[in-house]
Amino acid sequence: MEKDPRVRDLMRDDINMIRPEATLHEAVQKLSGLDARGNGGEIMETRSLVVVDEEDNLVGLIAMLDILEGMEPPFMRDTDSFAGITWDGMFAEFIHQAENNTVADAMTPVSELEIMEPDDRLMTVVEVMVSKRQRRLPVVENGKVVGVVKLYDVFHEVAREMLRLGEGRSV
């Protein structure tokens, strides 16, 4: 690996995007269809979608937890009324919320996101991921989303380099 790796070296450019006006139901459908197997046979889960406007400008990020929170029926916040709800009733309400709430209602807006640029140092990504507890960071160039850098890729790159440098050392 080069001496000072950059975001562009690890970012993924297969960006899974959605518009803010899409329903949470559409976000669920999109996320459900994105899981795939990696080269080693492991499941490469897609846990979030990049939210962009008509010109592909970043407006936010929506993750699985955001979607679940956005679909949470109001009665779930009140444990007294929640006790009387059946399993089927709960899912009927989830469906209702998913069809009536939008991605914009549940996403993390761009103003609350840490954003990387392709030429940012990989060490900057590590620092942001650790200090802000972020698992994925959008990569933007000239206002447009060009990729996403994920914790999975950063961790494995750090591990490879650490193991390479540690070869031949005795502990």
Side-chain angles (χ1 to χ4, degrees), residues 25-152:
H25 185 261
E26 291 171 291
V28 167
Q29 285 179 311
K30 190 158 191 160
L31 278 174
S32 296
L34 290 176
D35 287 351
R37 295 215 175 261
N39 293 337
E42 73 278 8
I43 295 178
M44 303 296 292
E45 296 177 21
T46 302
R47 296 185 174 127
S48 64
L49 300 168
V50 175
V51 185
V52 295
D53 64 15
E54 302 78 31
E55 287 85 36
D56 289 341
N57 295 307
L58 179 68
V59 295
L61 191 72
I62 188 160
M64 288 179 184
L65 186 57
D66 298 323
I67 294 170
L68 286 175
E69 288 174 352
M71 293 186 326
E72 181 182 42
F75 63 75
M76 288 184 76
R77 294 179 196 101
D78 179 10
T79 54
D80 292 333
S81 59
F82 182 62
I85 301 298
T86 66
W87 185 256
D88 290 341
M90 182 176 71
F91 278 98
E93 188 59 28
F94 271 134
I95 291 167
H96 174 75
Q97 295 293 330
E99 291 172 344
N100 290 292
N101 294 341
T102 66
V103 166
D105 297 330
M107 71 181 188
T108 302
V110 68
S111 61
E112 296 176 22
L113 292 175
E114 297 294 328
I115 299 168
M116 297 290 110
E117 293 181 1
D119 289 325
D120 285 339
R121 297 177 64 219
L122 194 53
M123 287 312 303
T124 302
V125 172
V126 171
E127 191 276 327
V128 169
M129 286 182 163
V130 170
S131 68
K132 304 291 186 181
R133 302 195 57 80
Q134 300 272 317
R135 296 174 187 261
R136 61 202 64 76
L137 299 170
V139 182
V140 175
E141 187 172 41
N142 300 321
K144 306 289 184 218
V145 179
V146 294
V148 175
V149 63
K150 296 184 177 188
L151 176 63
Y152 178 92

